[in-house]
Amino acid sequence: MSQGDWTAAACGANDDAGTQLWVGVPKVDPRFANSLPDAPDGCSAALRSKIAWGVATSAYQVEGAWDEGGRSPSIWDTFSQQPGHTYGNATGNVAADHYHQYQQDIKLMLALGVKHYRLSLSWSRILPGGGRGTEPNAAGLRFYRHLLQELHAAGITPVVTLYHMDLPQVLQDTYGGFLDQQLSEDFLYYADIVFAQLGPYVKHWLTFSDPMAICQLGYGVGVYAPGVEKGAAGHYRCGHTLLLAHAKAVQLYRLKYQQLQEGRISMVISAHWGLPFDSSSKADLNATDTYMQFQVGWMADPLFFGDYPEVMRRSQPKLPKFKEAEKRLLAGSVDFFALNYYTSHFVKAAPPGAPKDQVYEESLTDHEGRHPGTPSDVFWQFSAPDGLRSTLNWIGRRYQRPEVWVTENGVASPGESANDRRNLLKDMHRLDYYRTHLDSLCAAVTKDSANLAAFFAWSLLDAFEFSDGYKARYGIVHVDRTSKQLQRYPKLSAYWLSQQFFRYAPDSIACLEIRSCRATRSTLLPV
């Protein structure tokens, strides 16, 4: 079939019949399987059968039910409910209604052949009072327990993130959230409750997701919740608090729970790849490595080595300092490297006479005005698949080939929110984004010896995308916000990922990091 033929076949002449063929059924209609493109040449069936391919979401972005079941407001409830902070003044009040429809969403994952699902927990749903000494919410814990039980019953492995942007508002009001070290103790209290109550169902933990967004956007420039504008001081103070909160939670898990529950734990770092603004400029080439130390090393160096990169300590006067005991607590506090990758940006050397703390400049175009790749529906993202391979190689060189999980990768396809359902389901831009990025990923494994264990597509569902509201759509499954039940419709990218990747995934996530691997046996409770 030609490309035009298979897009038409996959969407079907009858729109509803063509787009719902997978919901609740075990296999795709053979017309779809026979008409979708093959996997990238570099991704052999043997390789695809070794990597855990999955999908990801986060609590605030999909759950909804913002004031149900004993949940208290988070900073994103407060921030998004104030006009002017999100596109169209959208909120996560309803989001994708996953709180009420999680059973349907599990059936959808099952139909797509998904075996691995990354989700996050709402801190304020589990602990409405936020901090130490407050009572856990039985209804919130019950919701997540049922969700995890149903995932296991469906043969889907949960990967659970403790924190994905949604701090209880009470902690922000009480002491300023991540700007105060009290947060690390409250996070420890929250983590202890979660490990104790939900740990028997979870073998893969992530403490925090995307510190750059939490700290730079939330406490530096203030375009994300809680909207604090404290510049570099806020950005770095937030990151310092976050790192110590992570380290304390990991220490707790390893000492109290890991041997019994036989799980593993890490933290998610988001990074863009840095391309030289002018590839003929040695100064710009050098600046790209500095950029990566700020992008990745700001968090990863403390997690692996116990302290910030030397270039940051030398150039950033507002960067806090760790005590020696804190360095020891941080070093080695991840069992694998968890990476979010979406795009590449250009980097040039700081101009002569620039302030000492300005060590590079970041740009969306190069010296000839070219973008890093095909634009998306958000200003900062371009399709730059080679950057994924380059980032994996940079991580491998700096951190001695750690086991790596790509915990998020995906794209907001241009103009998708303006299309009618029939056309938006033909998400060729997204399918091509995944095809090229997975080709690059496989090359990093086969040609560069990247130690890759897992990959998660962002996102399973069209979700609330923070400041972009519902305009930017990353889902491989469309959520029809005009329908009363928020009906789900798989897009072409979902069909393709299902046939070429999800169905090849092993049932469990391989442990490739010898230092943290253990001979395990199942300790999961019956479901």
Side-chain angles (χ1 to χ4, degrees):
M1 283 189 178
S2 69
Q3 177 173 298
D5 290 338
W6 68 258
T7 54
C11 285
N14 180 307
D15 196 14
D16 284 339
T19 56
Q20 295 190 73
L21 281 173
W22 273 11
V23 178
V25 298
K27 293 183 179 180
V28 63
D29 186 290
R31 292 175 300 165
F32 290 19
N34 294 334
S35 59
L36 292 169
D38 294 333
D41 291 339
C43 299
S44 67
L47 177 60
R48 283 177 280 157
S49 67
K50 295 178 181 178
I51 296 169
W53 312 100
V55 293
T57 64
S58 86
Y60 187 73
Q61 293 179 267
V62 299
E63 280 183 7
W66 76 283
D67 60 353
E68 295 183 44
R71 182 184 181 275
S72 67
S74 73
I75 54 174
W76 265 103
D77 292 303
T78 302
F79 190 73
S80 65
Q81 290 168 18
Q82 297 169 352
H85 286 156
T86 65
Y87 183 88
N89 293 322
T91 73
N93 291 3
V94 176
D97 197 33
H98 181 70
Y99 183 81
H100 297 111
Q101 300 195 45
Y102 72 90
Q103 291 172 314
Q104 176 186 342
D105 291 334
I106 290 172
K107 290 178 181 177
L108 177 58
M109 284 189 277
L110 186 61
L112 290 170
V114 172
K115 299 173 187 173
H116 308 282
Y117 174 47
R118 180 183 164 221
L119 64 141
S120 78
L121 308 176
S122 167
W123 185 341
S124 61
R125 193 179 296 286
I126 289 173
L127 199 62
R132 290 155 287 171
T134 61
E135 286 296 316
N137 176 25
L141 286 168
R142 185 166 54 250
F143 165 71
Y144 288 118
R145 190 176 295 112
H146 288 171
L147 170 60
L148 293 168
Q149 287 173 335
E150 298 236 6
L151 286 167
H152 283 297
I156 298 171
T157 301
V159 175
V160 178
T161 306
L162 292 171
Y163 183 87
H164 196 122
M165 309 287 184
D166 48 354
L167 184 72
Q169 182 65 45
V170 63
L171 301 186
Q172 183 63 34
D173 293 341
T174 301
Y175 51 71
F178 282 89
L179 299 183
D180 193 297
Q181 279 298 328
Q182 291 183 69
L183 183 133
S184 66
E185 296 302 323
D186 284 335
F187 182 75
L188 184 64
Y189 179 73
Y190 159 63
D192 197 5
I193 291 168
V194 170
F195 293 149
Q197 296 294 321
L198 303 178
Y201 304 94
V202 180
K203 285 188 176 289
H204 310 288
W205 293 102
L206 300 163
T207 53
F208 293 94
S209 182
D210 198 352
M212 189 68 76
I214 294 168
C215 295
Q216 182 184 49
L217 302 185
Y219 290 87
V221 296
V223 296
Y224 268 25
V228 174
E229 300 178 44
K230 288 191 175 291
H235 174 181
Y236 291 141
R237 171 55 59 187
C238 167
H240 203 74
T241 302
L242 186 151
L243 280 165
L244 292 174
H246 159 85
K248 291 175 182 178
V250 171
Q251 182 186 52
L252 169 74
Y253 184 69
R254 288 176 172 172
L255 291 176
K256 189 175 178 181
Y257 297 102
Q258 193 167 45
Q259 184 175 2
L260 175 64
Q261 297 177 357
E262 298 175 331
R264 303 173 72 210
I265 192 164
S266 188
M267 185 177 83
V268 177
I269 297 171
S270 292
H272 306 328
W273 176 247
L275 295 164
F277 182 76
D278 181 349
S279 59
S280 67
S281 166
K282 184 176 180 180
D284 288 356
L285 286 167
N286 290 337
T288 61
D289 186 69
T290 301
Y291 175 78
M292 294 307 295
Q293 291 187 59
F294 275 70
Q295 282 277 301
V296 177
W298 172 50
M299 288 285 121
D301 271 29
L303 299 179
F304 282 84
F305 309 137
D307 207 350
Y308 297 117
E310 193 274 333
V311 66
M312 295 189 71
R313 288 183 275 127
R314 185 179 67 244
S315 65
Q316 304 300 303
K318 295 179 180 178
L319 187 70
K321 293 179 172 60
F322 292 115
K323 299 173 183 176
E324 289 303 314
E326 292 171 341
K327 293 179 183 180
R328 291 193 296 270
L329 189 65
L330 278 161
S333 62
V334 290
D335 292 331
F336 53 91
F337 197 113
L339 170 72
N340 291 352
Y341 174 84
Y342 286 93
T343 195
S344 298
H345 286 173
F346 291 107
V347 182
K348 59 180 174 179
K356 179 184 176 182
D357 63 351
Q358 183 184 339
V359 291
Y360 60 82
E361 293 183 354
E362 189 171 359
S363 175
L364 300 181
T365 57
D366 68 4
H367 69 295
E368 294 182 344
R370 296 172 298 191
H371 291 302
T374 306
S376 70
D377 211 26
V378 290
F379 76 92
W380 56 268
Q381 186 182 13
F382 307 87
S383 181
D386 290 345
L388 175 55
R389 181 179 178 183
S390 297
T391 301
L392 291 171
N393 284 331
W394 192 91
I395 290 168
R397 290 192 300 271
R398 190 168 182 89
Y399 305 109
Q400 300 180 325
R401 288 189 68 243
E403 176 184 331
V404 179
W405 298 17
V406 175
T407 41
E408 290 181 27
N409 178 245
V411 67
S413 293
E416 192 168 286
S417 62
N419 290 335
D420 60 28
R421 189 205 311 160
R422 183 176 177 82
N423 287 311
L424 70 85
L425 295 178
K426 304 174 187 177
D427 62 338
M428 285 301 303
H429 176 273
R430 179 173 295 105
L431 195 158
D432 190 62
Y433 177 95
Y434 279 121
R435 184 183 60 79
T436 55
H437 281 73
L438 291 171
D439 192 28
S440 181
L441 185 83
C442 292
V445 176
T446 59
K447 297 180 180 180
D448 310 325
S449 300
N451 210 13
L452 184 81
F455 173 95
F456 295 85
W458 184 271
S459 172
L460 171 65
L461 303 171
D462 285 338
F464 175 79
E465 289 294 339
F466 297 116
S467 59
D468 290 306
Y470 297 100
K471 179 180 182 293
R473 300 191 180 173
Y474 282 83
I476 61 172
V477 174
H478 170 55
V479 177
D480 184 359
R481 303 195 64 78
T482 66
S483 67
K484 186 176 180 180
Q485 298 299 322
L486 299 180
Q487 183 68 44
R488 278 76 159 132
Y489 297 94
K491 303 174 189 178
L492 281 180
S493 58
Y495 288 69
W496 183 76
L497 285 168
S498 173
Q499 288 300 107
Q500 303 299 346
F501 289 90
F502 297 155
R503 295 180 184 278
Y504 283 83
D507 292 336
S508 60
I509 302 176
C511 185
L512 306 177
E513 183 59 63
I514 300 303
R515 288 166 292 184
S516 70
C517 294
R518 293 166 174 81
T520 62
R521 59 179 175 80
S522 176
T523 58
L524 296 173
L525 293 180
V527 294

Coordinates of all heavy atoms in Angstrom, one line a residue, residues 339-406:
L339 N 16.0 9.0 31.9 CA 16.2 10.2 31.0 C 14.9 10.5 30.3 O 14.3 9.6 29.7 CB 17.3 9.9 30.0 CG 17.5 10.9 28.9 CD1 18.0 12.2 29.4 CD2 18.3 10.3 27.7
N340 N 14.5 11.8 30.3 CA 13.5 12.3 29.4 C 14.2 13.1 28.3 O 15.0 14.0 28.5 CB 12.5 13.3 30.1 CG 11.6 12.6 31.1 OD1 11.6 11.4 31.2 ND2 10.9 13.4 31.9
Y341 N 13.9 12.7 27.0 CA 14.5 13.4 25.9 C 13.4 13.8 24.9 O 12.6 12.9 24.5 CB 15.6 12.6 25.2 CG 16.0 13.3 23.9 CD1 17.0 14.3 23.9 CD2 15.4 13.0 22.7 CE1 17.4 15.0 22.8 CE2 15.8 13.7 21.5 CZ 16.8 14.7 21.6 OH 17.2 15.4 20.5
Y342 N 13.3 15.0 24.5 CA 12.3 15.5 23.5 C 13.0 16.2 22.3 O 12.4 16.1 21.2 CB 11.4 16.5 24.2 CG 10.4 15.8 25.1 CD1 10.6 15.7 26.5 CD2 9.2 15.3 24.6 CE1 9.7 15.1 27.3 CE2 8.3 14.7 25.5 CZ 8.5 14.6 26.8 OH 7.6 14.0 27.7
T343 N 14.1 16.9 22.5 CA 14.5 17.8 21.4 C 16.0 18.2 21.6 O 16.6 17.8 22.6 CB 13.6 19.0 21.3 OG1 13.8 19.7 20.1 CG2 13.9 20.0 22.4
S344 N 16.5 18.9 20.6 CA 17.8 19.5 20.6 C 17.7 21.0 20.5 O 16.8 21.5 19.8 CB 18.8 18.9 19.5 OG 19.0 17.5 19.7
H345 N 18.7 21.7 21.0 CA 18.7 23.2 20.9 C 20.2 23.6 20.5 O 21.1 22.8 20.7 CB 18.4 23.9 22.1 CG 16.9 23.9 22.4 ND1 16.4 24.4 23.6 CD2 15.8 23.5 21.7 CE1 15.0 24.3 23.6 NE2 14.7 23.7 22.4
F346 N 20.3 24.7 19.9 CA 21.7 25.2 19.6 C 22.3 26.0 20.8 O 21.6 26.6 21.6 CB 21.6 26.2 18.3 CG 21.2 25.4 17.1 CD1 20.0 25.6 16.5 CD2 22.1 24.6 16.5 CE1 19.7 24.9 15.3 CE2 21.8 23.9 15.3 CZ 20.6 24.1 14.7
V347 N 23.6 25.9 20.8 CA 24.3 26.5 21.9 C 25.5 27.3 21.3 O 26.2 26.8 20.5 CB 24.9 25.4 22.9 CG1 25.6 26.1 24.1 CG2 23.7 24.6 23.4
K348 N 25.7 28.5 21.8 CA 26.9 29.2 21.4 C 27.7 29.8 22.7 O 27.1 29.9 23.7 CB 26.6 30.4 20.5 CG 25.6 31.4 21.0 CD 25.4 32.5 20.0 CE 24.3 33.5 20.4 NZ 24.1 34.5 19.4
A349 N 28.9 30.0 22.5 CA 29.7 30.5 23.6 C 29.2 31.9 24.0 O 28.7 32.7 23.2 CB 31.2 30.6 23.1
A350 N 29.4 32.2 25.3 CA 29.0 33.5 25.8 C 29.9 34.5 25.1 O 31.1 34.3 24.9 CB 29.2 33.5 27.3
P351 N 29.3 35.7 24.8 CA 30.1 36.8 24.1 C 31.1 37.4 25.0 O 31.0 37.3 26.3 CB 29.0 37.8 23.8 CG 27.9 37.6 24.8 CD 27.9 36.1 25.1
P352 N 32.1 38.0 24.5 CA 33.1 38.7 25.3 C 32.5 39.7 26.2 O 31.6 40.5 25.8 CB 34.0 39.4 24.3 CG 33.9 38.6 23.0 CD 32.4 38.1 23.1
G353 N 32.9 39.8 27.5 CA 32.4 40.7 28.4 C 31.1 40.3 29.1 O 30.5 41.0 29.9
A354 N 30.6 39.1 28.8 CA 29.4 38.6 29.5 C 29.7 38.4 30.9 O 30.8 38.1 31.4 CB 29.0 37.3 28.8
P355 N 28.6 38.4 31.8 CA 28.8 38.2 33.2 C 29.4 36.8 33.4 O 29.2 35.9 32.6 CB 27.4 38.3 33.7 CG 26.6 39.1 32.7 CD 27.2 38.8 31.4
K356 N 30.1 36.6 34.5 CA 30.8 35.4 34.9 C 29.8 34.2 34.9 O 30.2 33.1 34.5 CB 31.5 35.5 36.2 CG 32.2 34.3 36.6 CD 32.8 34.4 38.0 CE 33.4 33.1 38.5 NZ 34.0 33.2 39.9
D357 N 28.6 34.4 35.3 CA 27.7 33.3 35.4 C 27.0 32.9 34.1 O 26.2 32.0 34.0 CB 26.6 33.5 36.5 CG 25.7 34.7 36.3 OD1 26.0 35.5 35.3 OD2 24.8 34.9 37.0
Q358 N 27.2 33.7 33.1 CA 26.7 33.4 31.7 C 27.8 32.7 30.9 O 28.6 33.3 30.3 CB 26.3 34.7 31.0 CG 25.6 34.4 29.7 CD 25.3 35.7 28.9 OE1 25.2 36.7 29.5 NE2 25.2 35.5 27.6
V359 N 27.7 31.4 30.9 CA 28.8 30.6 30.3 C 28.4 30.1 28.9 O 29.3 29.5 28.2 CB 29.1 29.4 31.2 CG1 29.8 29.9 32.5 CG2 27.9 28.5 31.6
Y360 N 27.2 30.3 28.5 CA 26.8 29.9 27.1 C 25.5 30.6 26.8 O 24.8 31.2 27.7 CB 26.6 28.4 26.9 CG 25.6 27.8 27.9 CD1 24.2 27.9 27.5 CD2 25.9 27.1 29.0 CE1 23.2 27.3 28.4 CE2 25.0 26.6 29.9 CZ 23.6 26.7 29.5 OH 22.7 26.1 30.3
E361 N 25.1 30.6 25.6 CA 23.7 31.1 25.2 C 23.0 30.0 24.4 O 23.6 29.3 23.7 CB 23.9 32.4 24.3 CG 24.4 33.6 25.0 CD 24.5 34.8 24.1 OE1 24.2 34.7 22.9 OE2 24.8 35.9 24.6
E362 N 21.7 29.9 24.7 CA 20.9 28.9 24.0 C 20.0 29.5 23.0 O 19.5 30.6 23.1 CB 20.0 28.2 25.1 CG 19.3 27.0 24.7 CD 18.6 26.3 25.8 OE1 18.8 26.7 27.0 OE2 17.9 25.2 25.6
S363 N 19.9 28.8 21.8 CA 19.1 29.3 20.7 C 18.3 28.3 20.0 O 18.7 27.1 20.0 CB 20.1 30.0 19.7 OG 19.4 30.4 18.5
L364 N 17.2 28.7 19.5 CA 16.3 27.8 18.7 C 16.7 27.7 17.2 O 16.1 26.9 16.5 CB 14.8 28.2 18.9 CG 14.3 28.2 20.3 CD1 12.8 28.6 20.3 CD2 14.5 26.8 21.0
T365 N 17.6 28.6 16.8 CA 18.1 28.5 15.4 C 19.6 28.6 15.5 O 20.2 29.1 16.4 CB 17.5 29.7 14.6 OG1 17.9 31.0 15.3 CG2 16.0 29.6 14.5
D366 N 20.3 28.2 14.4 CA 21.7 28.3 14.3 C 22.1 29.6 13.6 O 21.3 30.5 13.4 CB 22.3 27.1 13.6 CG 21.9 27.0 12.1 OD1 21.3 28.0 11.6 OD2 22.3 26.0 11.4
H367 N 23.4 29.7 13.3 CA 23.9 31.0 12.8 C 23.4 31.3 11.4 O 23.5 32.4 10.9 CB 25.4 31.0 12.7 CG 26.0 30.0 11.7 ND1 25.9 28.6 11.8 CD2 26.7 30.2 10.6 CE1 26.5 28.1 10.8 NE2 27.0 29.0 10.0
E368 N 22.7 30.3 10.7 CA 22.1 30.6 9.4 C 20.6 30.6 9.5 O 19.9 30.6 8.5 CB 22.5 29.5 8.4 CG 24.0 29.5 8.1 CD 24.4 28.5 7.1 OE1 23.6 27.5 6.8 OE2 25.5 28.6 6.5
G369 N 20.1 30.6 10.8 CA 18.6 30.7 11.0 C 17.8 29.4 10.8 O 16.6 29.5 10.8
R370 N 18.5 28.3 10.9 CA 17.9 27.0 10.7 C 17.5 26.4 12.1 O 18.2 26.6 13.0 CB 18.8 26.0 10.0 CG 19.1 26.4 8.6 CD 20.2 25.6 8.0 NE 21.4 25.7 8.7 CZ 22.6 25.1 8.3 NH1 22.7 24.5 7.2 NH2 23.7 25.3 9.1
H371 N 16.3 25.8 12.1 CA 15.9 25.1 13.3 C 16.7 23.7 13.5 O 17.2 23.2 12.5 CB 14.4 24.8 13.3 CG 13.6 26.0 13.5 ND1 13.7 26.9 14.5 CD2 12.6 26.6 12.7 CE1 12.8 27.9 14.4 NE2 12.2 27.7 13.3
P372 N 16.7 23.1 14.7 CA 17.3 21.8 14.8 C 16.6 20.7 14.1 O 17.2 19.6 13.9 CB 17.3 21.6 16.3 CG 17.0 22.9 16.9 CD 16.2 23.7 15.9
G373 N 15.4 20.9 13.7 CA 14.6 19.9 13.0 C 13.2 20.4 12.7 O 12.9 21.6 12.8
T374 N 12.3 19.5 12.4 CA 11.0 19.8 12.0 C 10.3 20.4 13.3 O 10.3 19.7 14.3 CB 10.2 18.6 11.5 OG1 10.9 18.0 10.5 CG2 8.8 19.0 11.1
P375 N 9.6 21.5 13.2 CA 8.9 22.1 14.3 C 7.7 21.3 14.8 O 7.2 20.4 14.1 CB 8.4 23.5 13.8 CG 9.3 23.8 12.6 CD 9.6 22.4 12.0
S376 N 7.3 21.5 16.0 CA 6.2 20.8 16.6 C 5.1 21.8 16.9 O 5.1 22.9 16.4 CB 6.6 20.1 17.9 OG 6.9 21.0 18.9
D377 N 4.2 21.5 17.8 CA 3.1 22.4 18.2 C 3.5 23.3 19.4 O 2.7 24.1 19.8 CB 1.8 21.6 18.5 CG 0.6 22.4 18.1 OD1 0.7 23.3 17.2 OD2 -0.5 22.2 18.7
V378 N 4.7 23.1 19.9 CA 5.2 23.9 21.0 C 6.5 24.6 20.5 O 7.3 23.9 19.8 CB 5.4 23.1 22.3 CG1 4.1 22.7 22.9 CG2 6.3 21.9 22.1
F379 N 6.7 25.8 20.9 CA 7.8 26.6 20.3 C 9.2 26.0 20.6 O 10.1 26.2 19.8 CB 7.8 28.0 20.9 CG 8.3 28.1 22.3 CD1 9.6 28.4 22.5 CD2 7.5 27.9 23.4 CE1 10.1 28.6 23.8 CE2 8.0 28.1 24.7 CZ 9.3 28.4 24.9
W380 N 9.4 25.2 21.7 CA 10.7 24.8 22.1 C 11.1 23.4 21.5 O 12.3 23.0 21.6 CB 10.8 24.7 23.6 CG 9.8 23.9 24.2 CD1 8.5 24.3 24.7 CD2 9.8 22.4 24.5 NE1 7.8 23.2 25.2 CE2 8.6 22.1 25.1 CE3 10.8 21.5 24.2 CZ2 8.3 20.7 25.4 CZ3 10.5 20.1 24.6 CH2 9.3 19.8 25.2
Q381 N 10.2 22.7 20.9 CA 10.5 21.3 20.5 C 10.5 21.1 19.0 O 9.7 21.6 18.2 CB 9.4 20.3 21.0 CG 9.8 18.9 20.7 CD 8.7 17.9 21.2 OE1 7.6 18.2 21.5 NE2 9.1 16.6 21.2
F382 N 11.6 20.4 18.6 CA 11.8 20.1 17.2 C 12.2 18.6 17.1 O 12.7 18.0 18.1 CB 13.0 20.9 16.6 CG 12.8 22.4 16.8 CD1 13.2 23.0 18.0 CD2 12.1 23.2 15.9 CE1 13.0 24.4 18.2 CE2 11.9 24.5 16.0 CZ 12.4 25.1 17.2
S383 N 11.9 18.0 16.0 CA 12.2 16.6 15.8 C 13.7 16.5 15.5 O 14.2 16.8 14.4 CB 11.4 16.0 14.7 OG 11.7 14.6 14.5
A384 N 14.5 16.0 16.5 CA 15.9 16.0 16.3 C 16.4 14.6 16.9 O 17.0 14.5 18.0 CB 16.6 17.1 17.1
P385 N 16.1 13.5 16.1 CA 16.4 12.2 16.6 C 17.9 11.9 16.9 O 18.2 11.1 17.8 CB 15.9 11.3 15.5 CG 15.8 12.1 14.3 CD 15.5 13.5 14.8
D386 N 18.8 12.5 16.1 CA 20.2 12.2 16.4 C 20.6 12.7 17.8 O 21.5 12.2 18.4 CB 21.1 12.9 15.3 CG 20.9 12.3 14.0 OD1 20.4 11.2 13.9 OD2 21.4 12.9 13.0
G387 N 19.9 13.7 18.3 CA 20.2 14.2 19.6 C 19.9 13.2 20.7 O 20.6 13.2 21.8
L388 N 19.0 12.3 20.5 CA 18.8 11.2 21.5 C 20.0 10.3 21.6 O 20.5 10.0 22.7 CB 17.5 10.4 21.1 CG 17.2 9.2 22.0 CD1 17.1 9.6 23.5 CD2 15.9 8.6 21.5
R389 N 20.5 9.9 20.4 CA 21.6 9.0 20.4 C 22.8 9.7 21.0 O 23.6 9.1 21.8 CB 21.9 8.6 19.0 CG 23.1 7.7 18.8 CD 23.3 7.3 17.4 NE 24.5 6.5 17.2 CZ 25.0 6.0 16.0 NH1 24.3 6.4 14.9 NH2 26.1 5.3 15.9
S390 N 23.0 11.0 20.7 CA 24.1 11.8 21.2 C 24.0 11.9 22.7 O 25.1 11.8 23.4 CB 24.2 13.1 20.5 OG 24.4 13.0 19.2
T391 N 22.8 12.1 23.2 CA 22.6 12.3 24.7 C 23.0 11.0 25.4 O 23.6 11.0 26.4 CB 21.2 12.7 25.0 OG1 20.9 14.0 24.3 CG2 21.0 12.9 26.5
L392 N 22.5 9.9 24.8 CA 22.8 8.6 25.4 C 24.3 8.3 25.5 O 24.9 7.8 26.4 CB 22.1 7.5 24.7 CG 20.6 7.4 24.8 CD1 20.0 6.4 23.9 CD2 20.2 7.1 26.3
N393 N 25.0 8.7 24.4 CA 26.5 8.5 24.4 C 27.2 9.4 25.4 O 28.1 9.0 26.0 CB 27.0 8.8 22.9 CG 26.7 7.6 22.0 OD1 26.6 6.5 22.4 ND2 26.5 8.0 20.7
W394 N 26.7 10.7 25.5 CA 27.3 11.6 26.5 C 27.1 11.0 27.9 O 28.1 11.1 28.7 CB 26.6 13.0 26.3 CG 27.3 14.1 27.1 CD1 28.3 14.9 26.6 CD2 27.1 14.5 28.5 NE1 28.7 15.8 27.6 CE2 28.0 15.5 28.7 CE3 26.3 14.0 29.5 CZ2 28.0 16.2 30.0 CZ3 26.3 14.6 30.7 CH2 27.2 15.7 31.0
I395 N 26.0 10.5 28.2 CA 25.7 9.9 29.5 C 26.6 8.7 29.7 O 27.2 8.5 30.8 CB 24.2 9.5 29.6 CG1 23.4 10.8 29.7 CG2 24.0 8.6 30.8 CD1 21.9 10.5 29.6
G396 N 26.8 7.9 28.7 CA 27.6 6.7 28.8 C 29.1 7.1 29.1 O 29.7 6.4 29.9
R397 N 29.6 8.1 28.4 CA 31.0 8.5 28.6 C 31.2 9.1 30.0 O 32.1 8.8 30.7 CB 31.4 9.5 27.6 CG 31.5 9.0 26.2 CD 32.2 10.0 25.3 NE 31.5 11.3 25.2 CZ 30.5 11.5 24.3 NH1 30.2 10.6 23.4 NH2 29.9 12.7 24.3
R398 N 30.2 9.9 30.5 CA 30.5 10.7 31.7 C 30.2 9.8 32.9 O 30.9 9.9 34.0 CB 29.6 11.9 31.8 CG 29.9 12.8 33.0 CD 29.2 14.2 32.8 NE 29.6 15.1 33.9 CZ 30.6 15.9 33.9 NH1 31.4 16.0 32.8 NH2 30.8 16.7 34.9
Y399 N 29.2 8.8 32.8 CA 28.8 8.1 34.0 C 29.2 6.6 33.9 O 28.6 5.7 34.5 CB 27.4 8.3 34.3 CG 27.1 9.8 34.5 CD1 26.3 10.5 33.5 CD2 27.5 10.5 35.5 CE1 26.1 11.8 33.6 CE2 27.3 11.9 35.7 CZ 26.6 12.5 34.7 OH 26.3 13.9 34.8
Q400 N 30.1 6.3 33.0 CA 30.6 4.9 32.9 C 29.5 3.9 32.5 O 29.4 2.9 33.2 CB 31.4 4.5 34.1 CG 32.5 5.4 34.5 CD 33.2 5.0 35.8 OE1 32.6 4.5 36.7 NE2 34.5 5.1 35.8
R401 N 28.8 4.2 31.4 CA 27.8 3.3 30.9 C 26.8 2.8 31.9 O 26.7 1.5 32.1 CB 28.5 2.1 30.2 CG 29.2 2.4 28.9 CD 29.6 1.2 28.1 NE 28.5 0.4 27.6 CZ 28.1 -0.8 28.0 NH1 28.8 -1.4 28.9 NH2 27.1 -1.4 27.5
P402 N 26.1 3.6 32.5 CA 25.1 3.1 33.4 C 23.9 2.5 32.6 O 23.7 2.8 31.4 CB 24.6 4.4 34.1 CG 24.8 5.5 33.1 CD 26.0 5.1 32.3
E403 N 23.1 1.7 33.3 CA 21.9 1.3 32.7 C 21.0 2.5 32.6 O 20.8 3.3 33.5 CB 21.2 0.3 33.7 CG 19.8 -0.2 33.2 CD 19.1 -1.1 34.2 OE1 19.8 -1.8 35.0 OE2 17.9 -1.0 34.2
V404 N 20.4 2.7 31.4 CA 19.6 3.8 31.1 C 18.1 3.4 30.7 O 17.9 2.4 30.0 CB 20.2 4.6 29.9 CG1 19.3 5.9 29.6 CG2 21.6 5.1 30.2
W405 N 17.2 4.2 31.2 CA 15.8 4.1 30.8 C 15.4 5.4 30.2 O 15.7 6.5 30.8 CB 14.8 3.9 32.0 CG 15.0 2.6 32.8 CD1 16.1 1.8 32.8 CD2 14.0 2.1 33.7 NE1 15.8 0.7 33.7 CE2 14.6 0.9 34.2 CE3 12.8 2.5 34.1 CZ2 13.9 0.1 35.1 CZ3 12.1 1.7 35.0 CH2 12.7 0.5 35.5
V406 N 14.8 5.4 29.0 CA 14.2 6.6 28.5 C 12.8 6.7 29.0 O 11.9 5.9 28.5 CB 14.3 6.6 26.9 CG1 13.5 7.9 26.4 CG2 15.7 6.6 26.4

